[in-house]
């Protein structure tokens, strides 16, 4: 069981903090990134403000006009360019242990700076998600989840 | 080598930073609406603010501050509550 949280002063949506290592930022240590849990997002995305504040990316590195592997991504918030990267995600469980999943993350360009990072369906599909109003949010690993468990 | 077991910030530090933003969001909204705000995590002192994140980051750099390690950054915006993701 993995707890999420709410930050009602800042965002009304449910959030979860994940430990993340992003291959695109090899010099950065693992970062603890808050994601909005977004069942409408196909892919997990780290947007520009979080890429800068948690991984030390520079605005120049997030200028998509210099990217050779940019992917256009659309949403209600508008169109942005993203680039994919391999990533490792750590979900901290109630008992302190860490569930680790290797997958992909999209990194948003500078146009994504005002949008929170999103936990999307590529990872949510491995969990049973329970949202109890604005009181609690919990992820429970589903059988067969491709994760390893590290002690806390 | 990066390890998921010891992320930066730690879970405890992240919760403290989150608490600061929540407790001070209304005040900051009055003072820095629609701006990215950088604070010194241990004191909560605002060290820089700008509507443009890139300018904020380069301002921090010019002062010898690292956006990843020396400050916490948050967008302060009333539109956060009307985001459609």
């Amino acid at each position: 069981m993995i707890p999420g949280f709410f930050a009602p002063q800042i965002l009304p949506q449910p959030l979860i903090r994940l430990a993340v290592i992003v291959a695109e930022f090899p010099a950065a240590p693992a970062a603890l990134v808050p994601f909005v849990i977004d069942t409408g997002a196909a892919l997990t995305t780290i947007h520009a403000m979080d890429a800068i504040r948690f991984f030390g990316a520079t605005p120049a590195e997030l200028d998509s006009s210099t990217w050779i592997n940019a992917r256009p991504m659309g949403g209600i918030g508008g169109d942005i360019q993203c680039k994919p990267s391999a990533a490792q995600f750590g979900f901290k469980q109630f008992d302190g242990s860490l569930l680790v999943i290797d997958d992909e993350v999209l990194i948003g360009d500078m146009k994504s700076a005002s949008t929170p990072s999103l936990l999307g369906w590529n990872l949510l599909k491995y969990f049973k998600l329970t949202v109890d109003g604005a009181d609690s949010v919990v992820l429970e690993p589903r059988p067969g989840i491709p994760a390893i468990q590290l002690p806390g | 080598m990066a390890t998921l077991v010891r992320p930066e910030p730690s879970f405890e530090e992240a919760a403290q930073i989150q608490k600061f933003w929540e407790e001070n969001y209304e005040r900051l909204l009055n003072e820095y609406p629609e701006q990215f705000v950088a604070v010194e995590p241990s004191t909560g002192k605002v060290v820089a603010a700008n509507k443009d994140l890139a300018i904020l980051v380069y301002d921090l750099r010019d002062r010898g501050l690292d956006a990843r390690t020396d400050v916490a950054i948050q967008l302060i915006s009333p539109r956060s509550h009307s985001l459609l993701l």
Side-chain angles (χ1 to χ4, degrees):
Chain A
M1 304 275 274
I2 299 131
F5 65 103
F6 287 88
Q9 296 283 0
I10 302 170
L11 289 166
Q13 299 92 338
L15 295 147
I16 189 167
R17 287 190 190 94
L18 302 182
V20 188
I21 293 172
V22 178
E24 187 71 21
F25 305 123
L32 195 57
V33 181
F35 291 89
V36 168
I37 296 172
D38 187 352
T39 58
L43 295 166
T44 297
T45 307
I46 293 174
H47 286 144
M49 185 177 73
D50 288 342
I52 287 170
R53 68 175 172 168
F54 292 117
F55 296 98
T58 65
E61 289 172 327
L62 299 175
D63 174 1
S64 55
S65 68
T66 66
W67 295 352
I68 56 171
N69 56 346
R71 284 190 202 169
M73 300 298 291
I76 293 173
D79 293 339
I80 60 170
Q81 297 287 325
C82 291
K83 64 176 169 180
S85 175
Q88 199 168 47
F89 300 89
F91 294 74
K92 189 174 186 181
Q93 304 193 91
F94 279 115
D95 66 3
S97 65
L98 211 59
L99 271 183
V100 177
I101 299 176
D102 288 310
D103 209 285
E104 184 183 80
V105 71
L106 296 178
I107 301 159
D109 69 1
M110 284 303 286
K111 280 180 67 179
S112 70
S114 59
T115 309
S117 296
L118 304 175
L119 178 60
W121 202 246
N122 63 315
L123 294 173
L124 286 172
K125 68 185 180 186
Y126 298 125
F127 297 90
K128 175 183 176 182
L129 171 65
T130 303
V131 181
D132 183 4
D135 290 333
S136 72
V137 53
V138 176
L139 272 65
E140 185 178 352
R142 300 184 69 227
I145 180 173
I148 60 167
Q149 186 163 338
L150 300 178
Chain B
M1 181 179 170
T3 169
L4 287 175
V5 177
R6 283 182 292 280
E8 297 178 11
S10 68
F11 280 89
E12 294 75 18
E13 289 167 337
Q16 287 178 352
I17 294 168
Q18 186 76 32
K19 187 176 178 206
F20 167 81
W21 290 123
E22 290 197 40
E23 291 178 346
N24 291 277
Y25 202 81
E26 282 299 318
R27 173 178 65 81
L28 294 169
L29 197 53
N30 288 327
E31 297 177 20
Y32 306 98
E34 295 291 350
Q35 295 189 55
F36 294 91
V37 174
V39 301
E40 203 284 316
S42 61
T43 65
K45 179 185 174 191
V46 175
V47 294
N50 202 290
K51 292 181 184 296
D52 187 318
L53 179 60
I55 293 173
L56 174 75
V57 171
Y58 291 129
D59 181 19
L60 292 169
R61 185 194 63 183
D62 290 346
R63 298 189 208 185
L65 296 171
D66 186 314
R68 186 180 71 80
T69 57
D70 296 329
V71 297
I73 300 173
Q74 180 70 53
L75 171 63
I76 305 296
S77 169
R79 290 188 297 153
S80 297
H81 279 258
S82 55
L83 272 181
L84 300 176
L85 298 171

